[in-house]
Amino acid sequence: MRLRCLIVLTLMLLAAVAQAQENSNLTVHVVQRGENLFRIALHYGLTTEELAQLNGITNPNSIQVGQRLLVPVQGSTLPQVHTVQPGETLQSIGNLYGISVETLASLNNLTDPNSLYIGQVLNLVASDAAPQNTTSAPLEVADIPPLEAAALPTGGQQPTTIIHTVLPGETVFRIATAYGTTVNAVVEANSLGDPEFIVAGQTLVIPNVVPPQLATDLPAPITGLELLPLVLIEGQTGRVRLTANAPLTVSGTFLDQSLNFAAEGSGERSTALIGVPVGTPAGVYPLTLTVTDGNGAQIPISANVQVVAGGYSLETDIRLIEDRTNLLDTAVEDAELNILRSVMSRFNPERYFDGAMGLPAAATITSAFGFTRSYNGGAVQRVHTGTDFGGAPGTPIYAPAPGRVVLTDTLNVRGVATVIDHGWGVYTGYWHQTERYVQLGDTVSTGQVIGTMGATGRVSGPHLHWELWVNGVPVDPMQWVIFSFS
């Protein structure tokens, strides 16, 4: 019986594929987990009734995972959604697709066109499931419209590989369809053992993607504005890059931080790195830039940027070595933090790093960044601002990228400590060492042994606590291991 069913299913599949091949206006859609006929029809610009009739479905509420559906393809039709890119306005997006600002605002329930934010998904056609965009208070995570699949216009551009940061609630299928690729392509590009297990904040390589056509509306001489990633995550790093056809000076602010821009080349490209503090509420925040040209004229640029929660967990009841409990004194902590801020908040316009960073130790990660902790049964209130690597005393510690040593000290909480300046406002710190092999002012190279693991300072046992600061803010260092901000 099972063999007969298998033969019937195979014949049905072959017939569907053959029919699709004979008719160039048809394609085959394989039903994925969580899909229903309404959402599939919506994605392809059809009604549920049209899709059901084409496939001989008498009960639209009964489709199965893996079922093959014939779908008409209309390659020249308007895409259903557009994801807002840096530098775009409602007017420029409307001009791109030949839609009026009033129509776009109506389709997306926008009462204020200036509330548009980078990464926002806009409906381009009428839909019963239009995202409800709000324009007053900053968006909470639950209010952020889900990422819909979009047939993006190509504009003749060539496919490329991009990095996608997983948002809360996303699945591999949703991400793959949004970029016009397949689940298998994403799984293979990222060596995912279980495509059902991805987490918010994880970065995925998306291969062979045609970049979206941009509808930028930037004043001359500015030619490009880039935000990477499009949606920022609490506790992680972002990059703002502005390009022009003439040398410019750029300044700006975001999240009440002054942004430090480094001019590259002869000044036609300027880059600033953003550290999003842990604890930043999810919402939409203004990015304001001021561009000064060679004649001293100032050009203001503003954009709304979305920040989502990092999804960090709790780590309770950590037991310190017996004689270290006095190091929980907040006065001791604050005095030491002031020392670090004075060193790790400086801006060096020279960049030493190039590409992703290496790991600082060949050891197992024992505690991740962002956990809220309690010590010795106390209140759960201290945030873990680095990544811990477990290892025996004497385990080598490596420089993950080139840089210059700007602090060597023995601190109360952090023990034997080293700080390396990598340029562009990026610093890495290495706490609790047993031995230190570098001195203040030394230049280090990637992979150089700079010290060994130990149990100095406030610890529960021997390990390396590795921190990375961007623009004076501690951020997740592991993001820098899998992603390049150069």
Side-chain angles (χ1 to χ4, degrees):
M1 183 65 182
R2 292 180 61 185
L3 179 60
R4 176 182 292 178
C5 290
L6 181 60
I7 293 172
V8 170
L9 287 173
T10 302
L11 291 174
M12 290 175 62
L13 172 59
L14 291 174
V17 172
Q19 184 177 350
Q21 289 175 339
E22 289 174 7
N23 189 341
S24 59
N25 293 324
L26 290 177
T27 187
V28 175
H29 177 92
V30 181
V31 178
Q32 304 293 315
R33 184 177 285 105
E35 286 191 316
N36 57 42
L37 204 63
F38 169 75
R39 294 194 66 83
I40 298 170
L42 179 67
H43 170 53
Y44 290 102
L46 302 170
T47 66
T48 304
E49 292 73 20
E50 288 171 337
L51 192 57
Q53 183 177 4
L54 179 64
N55 289 274
I57 297 174
T58 56
N59 182 3
N61 296 318
S62 178
I63 60 172
Q64 305 297 322
V65 175
Q67 184 174 347
R68 269 68 177 172
L69 301 177
L70 290 176
V71 179
V73 177
Q74 302 173 25
S76 61
T77 60
L78 187 72
Q80 294 181 53
V81 293
H82 175 89
T83 301
V84 179
Q85 306 291 315
E88 293 185 332
T89 63
L90 209 60
Q91 181 67 63
S92 64
I93 295 169
N95 292 342
L96 175 65
Y97 296 106
I99 303 174
S100 70
V101 170
E102 292 75 19
T103 300
L104 274 177
S106 175
L107 287 171
N108 295 277
N109 297 326
L110 296 174
T111 58
D112 179 7
N114 295 322
S115 66
L116 207 65
Y117 58 90
I118 296 170
Q120 185 173 3
V121 178
L122 296 179
N123 279 327
L124 301 177
V125 293
S127 157
D128 293 335
Q132 301 297 308
N133 295 317
T134 60
T135 58
S136 52
L139 297 178
E140 299 296 334
V141 173
D143 297 323
I144 296 169
L147 183 65
E148 295 291 350
L152 296 169
T154 65
Q157 299 187 64
Q158 295 300 311
T160 186
T161 295
I162 67 171
I163 302 296
H164 175 87
T165 301
V166 178
L167 298 180
E170 285 190 320
T171 63
V172 174
F173 170 71
R174 180 180 287 276
I175 294 167
T177 52
Y179 287 106
T181 186
T182 65
V183 170
N184 284 342
V186 176
V187 168
E188 291 177 4
N190 295 275
S191 301
L192 297 178
D194 183 359
E196 305 244 341
F197 184 72
I198 58 173
V199 295
Q202 181 178 352
T203 55
L204 297 176
V205 174
I206 313 296
N208 300 319
V209 174
V210 176
Q213 186 173 339
L214 299 181
T216 52
D217 189 14
L218 297 170
I222 301 165
T223 57
L225 175 64
E226 175 191 282
L227 177 67
L228 196 66
L230 284 182
V231 178
L232 302 184
I233 298 175
E234 152 207 22
Q236 294 201 6
T237 303
R239 186 185 73 192
V240 179
R241 177 165 284 164
L242 189 143
T243 55
N245 54 23
L248 299 174
T249 301
V250 186
S251 61
T253 60
F254 183 68
L255 294 175
D256 296 324
Q257 299 176 38
S258 293
L259 300 182
N260 294 298
F261 279 84
E264 301 179 71
S266 57
E268 285 87 0
R269 186 167 85 165
S270 297
T271 302
L273 298 175
I274 299 172
V276 182
V278 170
T280 301
V284 176
Y285 298 89
L287 168 69
T288 60
L289 305 178
T290 300
V291 180
T292 306
D293 65 19
N295 297 320
Q298 292 189 334
I299 306 167
I301 299 177
S302 62
N304 295 320
V305 176
Q306 184 181 355
V307 175
V308 298
Y312 304 112
S313 301
L314 302 179
E315 197 170 32
T316 58
D317 203 21
I318 295 173
R319 294 288 167 176
L320 299 178
I321 293 176
E322 190 171 343
D323 62 348
R324 312 289 174 88
T325 55
N326 63 307
L327 299 177
L328 292 171
D329 187 337
T330 55
V332 174
E333 291 180 330
D334 291 344
E336 189 167 302
L337 192 56
N338 286 335
I339 295 174
L340 295 180
R341 284 199 187 104
S342 68
V343 174
M344 301 174 79
S345 297
R346 301 169 187 167
F347 181 71
N348 177 2
E350 184 176 359
R351 173 171 59 87
Y352 306 124
F353 65 91
D354 185 15
M357 289 193 177
L359 289 171
T364 301
I365 293 177
T366 56
S367 182
F369 172 90
F371 284 15
T372 303
R373 291 175 151 186
S374 71
Y375 290 92
N376 291 0
V380 183
Q381 61 185 12
R382 289 177 170 85
V383 175
H384 191 225
T385 53
T387 300
D388 288 348
F389 293 81
T395 300
I397 299 171
Y398 307 100
R404 185 171 58 88
V405 178
V406 292
L407 184 142
T408 55
D409 203 348
T410 300
L411 306 173
N412 292 316
V413 175
R414 292 160 178 83
V416 177
T418 302
V419 174
I420 299 175
D421 173 15
H422 301 282
W424 279 13
V426 180
Y427 293 83
T428 52
Y430 309 81
W431 317 146
H432 312 308
Q433 299 174 78
T434 294
E435 297 176 278
R436 181 175 46 236
Y437 298 147
V438 292
Q439 302 300 321
L440 189 66
D442 284 356
T443 298
V444 298
S445 56
T446 303
Q448 179 178 336
V449 178
I450 61 172
T452 61
M453 286 190 199
T456 56
R458 190 175 71 192
V459 295
S460 58
H463 70 284
L464 165 68
H465 176 100
W466 182 40
E467 289 194 6
L468 190 147
W469 288 37
V470 171
N471 202 34
V473 176
V475 294
D476 187 355
M478 294 306 294
Q479 183 190 13
W480 283 72
V481 173
I482 56 179
F483 192 80
S484 170
F485 287 98
S486 55

